Amino acid sequence: MSYADKTGAVKAKTAAFGNFIDPDREMVDVPNLSLVEVDLPEYERNGLGRALLKVVRYHFEDIDKHGAEGMSIGANSSRGQMIYADMNPVVVGQTHTEVQEKAPAEVVKALYQRGLPIELVTLGALRHAQFPSIDELVQFIDLYHKRASWMESHPVEVRFANIEAMTGDAAVFDWPRLIPE
C-alpha cells in the first residue's frame, strides 16, 4: 500500500484535517517538500515580513484536489498551516542549498560561521539584501527565530490577535514582556 499518489503527494482525506481546511479559500498545489514564502498577518504585524514554510503536498482524495500544508522554518516548533492562494505563496526553492546558492557566498559563509542552523541560514540568504551588514542580518534572524518560535507555540494567542486585527485593533504582541532580553 502506498501513502503517496503517483505525483509524490501524500494521500489524505479532508476530514483528517478537521476545521483546518477552509472551504471558502482556494488551496494551492506546490511541489512536495519545497520552501515557500507566504503572507501571514501575525508575522507581518510583528515585524518579521513574509513567513518561510517547508511544505507537505497532499492529494485530498475525497475532493480530488491537491493542497499543501506548511511548517514554519526558523521556529523551534510549528503548527501546521494550510496554504491558500490569498496567502500569495512563492516557491523560493526545493532545497536549502538551492535557496542559499541564490545569495552571495560570503553571506552564507558568514551565517554558518556564526553557528546558525541550516534553516536560519536559508532565511538569512533570502533576506540578506534588506540589511546593510551581516551583524544587522544576524540580529534580524535572531528576532525572527524568537518571535516565530513564540507565535508557533502559542496558536490560541495568535488566533485571538488575528481576530482582533480583523476588527481594527491590529496591535503587536508585547515582545519585551513575552521575550525579555
Side-chain angles (χ1 to χ4, degrees):
M1 172 178 216
S2 173
Y3 292 102
D5 70 8
K6 63 185 175 194
T7 67
V10 176
K11 294 178 188 178
K13 300 226 185 287
T14 55
F17 285 78
N19 296 347
F20 299 112
I21 296 178
D22 186 340
D24 296 326
R25 295 170 78 188
E26 180 186 348
M27 289 188 290
V28 296
D29 187 9
V30 296
N32 194 36
L33 302 178
S34 58
L35 295 159
V36 179
E37 280 191 318
V38 299
D39 295 334
L40 288 180
E42 61 270 23
Y43 278 60
E44 292 279 343
R45 196 171 48 247
N46 287 283
L48 305 182
R50 302 189 83 212
L52 179 60
L53 310 177
K54 180 91 169 183
V55 303
V56 175
R57 181 176 184 242
Y58 291 98
H59 177 229
F60 295 105
E61 297 177 305
D62 53 330
I63 60 173
D64 195 28
K65 288 186 178 180
H66 284 88
E69 177 184 35
M71 303 295 259
S72 180
I73 294 294
N76 288 337
S77 64
S78 182
R79 62 205 149 118
Q81 182 84 264
M82 289 303 297
I83 300 175
Y84 299 101
D86 61 4
M87 297 165 81
N88 303 310
V90 174
V91 176
V92 294
Q94 194 61 33
T95 66
H96 289 284
T97 301
E98 181 183 335
V99 174
Q100 292 174 18
E101 286 175 345
K102 295 175 186 175
E106 60 272 10
V107 169
V108 173
K109 182 178 178 181
L111 295 175
Y112 275 118
Q113 288 175 335
R114 300 279 177 110
L116 295 174
I118 191 170
E119 296 85 2
L120 295 179
V121 172
T122 298
L123 176 66
L126 285 169
R127 304 288 176 87
H128 77 276
Q130 298 172 11
F131 299 92
S133 72
I134 292 294
D135 287 338
E136 290 173 271
L137 175 59
V138 169
Q139 286 175 338
F140 169 77
I141 292 169
D142 184 55
L143 178 83
Y144 186 104
H145 173 74
K146 287 176 181 176
R147 290 183 180 181
S149 294
W150 189 92
M151 288 188 295
E152 292 298 326
S153 64
H154 293 83
V156 173
E157 289 87 344
V158 168
R159 178 140 171 88
F160 280 113
N162 284 342
I163 291 169
E164 289 169 357
M166 287 188 264
T167 64
D169 185 19
V172 299
F173 289 112
D174 182 1
W175 292 114
R177 182 182 63 79
L178 295 172
I179 306 173
E181 290 298 320

PDB file of all heavy atoms in Angstrom, residues 14 35 46 70 91 102 133 151:
ATOM      1  N   THR A  14      -9.997  15.121   3.469  1.00  0.00           N
ATOM      2  CA  THR A  14     -10.176  16.413   4.119  1.00  0.00           C
ATOM      3  C   THR A  14     -10.635  16.254   5.562  1.00  0.00           C
ATOM      4  O   THR A  14     -10.282  17.072   6.417  1.00  0.00           O
ATOM      5  CB  THR A  14     -11.167  17.297   3.350  1.00  0.00           C
ATOM      6  OG1 THR A  14     -12.405  16.589   3.198  1.00  0.00           O
ATOM      7  CG2 THR A  14     -10.620  17.679   1.982  1.00  0.00           C
ATOM      8  N   LEU A  35      10.323  24.883  -0.245  1.00  0.00           N
ATOM      9  CA  LEU A  35      10.366  26.025   0.660  1.00  0.00           C
ATOM     10  C   LEU A  35       9.531  27.137   0.031  1.00  0.00           C
ATOM     11  O   LEU A  35       9.761  27.508  -1.125  1.00  0.00           O
ATOM     12  CB  LEU A  35      11.807  26.478   0.880  1.00  0.00           C
ATOM     13  CG  LEU A  35      12.671  25.443   1.593  1.00  0.00           C
ATOM     14  CD1 LEU A  35      14.146  25.693   1.350  1.00  0.00           C
ATOM     15  CD2 LEU A  35      12.369  25.453   3.082  1.00  0.00           C
ATOM     16  N   ASN A  46       4.121  41.678  13.304  1.00  0.00           N
ATOM     17  CA  ASN A  46       5.128  41.629  14.369  1.00  0.00           C
ATOM     18  C   ASN A  46       6.556  41.784  13.850  1.00  0.00           C
ATOM     19  O   ASN A  46       7.514  41.337  14.476  1.00  0.00           O
ATOM     20  CB  ASN A  46       4.948  40.362  15.190  1.00  0.00           C
ATOM     21  CG  ASN A  46       3.723  40.443  16.062  1.00  0.00           C
ATOM     22  OD1 ASN A  46       3.758  41.116  17.095  1.00  0.00           O
ATOM     23  ND2 ASN A  46       2.635  39.811  15.662  1.00  0.00           N
ATOM     24  N   GLY A  70       2.040  23.849   5.360  1.00  0.00           N
ATOM     25  CA  GLY A  70       3.389  24.323   5.637  1.00  0.00           C
ATOM     26  C   GLY A  70       3.707  24.337   7.111  1.00  0.00           C
ATOM     27  O   GLY A  70       2.830  24.497   7.954  1.00  0.00           O
ATOM     28  N   VAL A  91       7.167  29.829  -4.235  1.00  0.00           N
ATOM     29  CA  VAL A  91       8.164  28.779  -4.024  1.00  0.00           C
ATOM     30  C   VAL A  91       9.529  29.412  -4.226  1.00  0.00           C
ATOM     31  O   VAL A  91       9.827  29.918  -5.308  1.00  0.00           O
ATOM     32  CB  VAL A  91       7.947  27.590  -4.983  1.00  0.00           C
ATOM     33  CG1 VAL A  91       9.053  26.549  -4.815  1.00  0.00           C
ATOM     34  CG2 VAL A  91       6.578  26.960  -4.767  1.00  0.00           C
ATOM     35  N   LYS A 102      21.428  31.201  -4.147  1.00  0.00           N
ATOM     36  CA  LYS A 102      20.951  32.446  -4.763  1.00  0.00           C
ATOM     37  C   LYS A 102      21.529  33.677  -4.071  1.00  0.00           C
ATOM     38  O   LYS A 102      21.445  34.778  -4.594  1.00  0.00           O
ATOM     39  CB  LYS A 102      19.418  32.494  -4.730  1.00  0.00           C
ATOM     40  CG  LYS A 102      18.759  31.413  -5.563  1.00  0.00           C
ATOM     41  CD  LYS A 102      17.256  31.440  -5.395  1.00  0.00           C
ATOM     42  CE  LYS A 102      16.605  30.261  -6.103  1.00  0.00           C
ATOM     43  NZ  LYS A 102      15.152  30.208  -5.854  1.00  0.00           N
ATOM     44  N   SER A 133      24.455  45.145   6.807  1.00  0.00           N
ATOM     45  CA  SER A 133      25.602  44.422   7.352  1.00  0.00           C
ATOM     46  C   SER A 133      25.176  43.032   7.822  1.00  0.00           C
ATOM     47  O   SER A 133      24.005  42.788   8.090  1.00  0.00           O
ATOM     48  CB  SER A 133      26.221  45.183   8.533  1.00  0.00           C
ATOM     49  OG  SER A 133      25.367  45.109   9.666  1.00  0.00           O
ATOM     50  N   MET A 151       5.239  32.546  18.519  1.00  0.00           N
ATOM     51  CA  MET A 151       3.929  32.522  17.855  1.00  0.00           C
ATOM     52  C   MET A 151       3.517  31.108  17.468  1.00  0.00           C
ATOM     53  O   MET A 151       2.350  30.734  17.611  1.00  0.00           O
ATOM     54  CB  MET A 151       3.933  33.453  16.637  1.00  0.00           C
ATOM     55  CG  MET A 151       3.948  34.922  17.024  1.00  0.00           C
ATOM     56  SD  MET A 151       3.727  36.065  15.645  1.00  0.00           S
ATOM     57  CE  MET A 151       5.208  35.775  14.686  1.00  0.00           C
TER      58      MET A 151
END
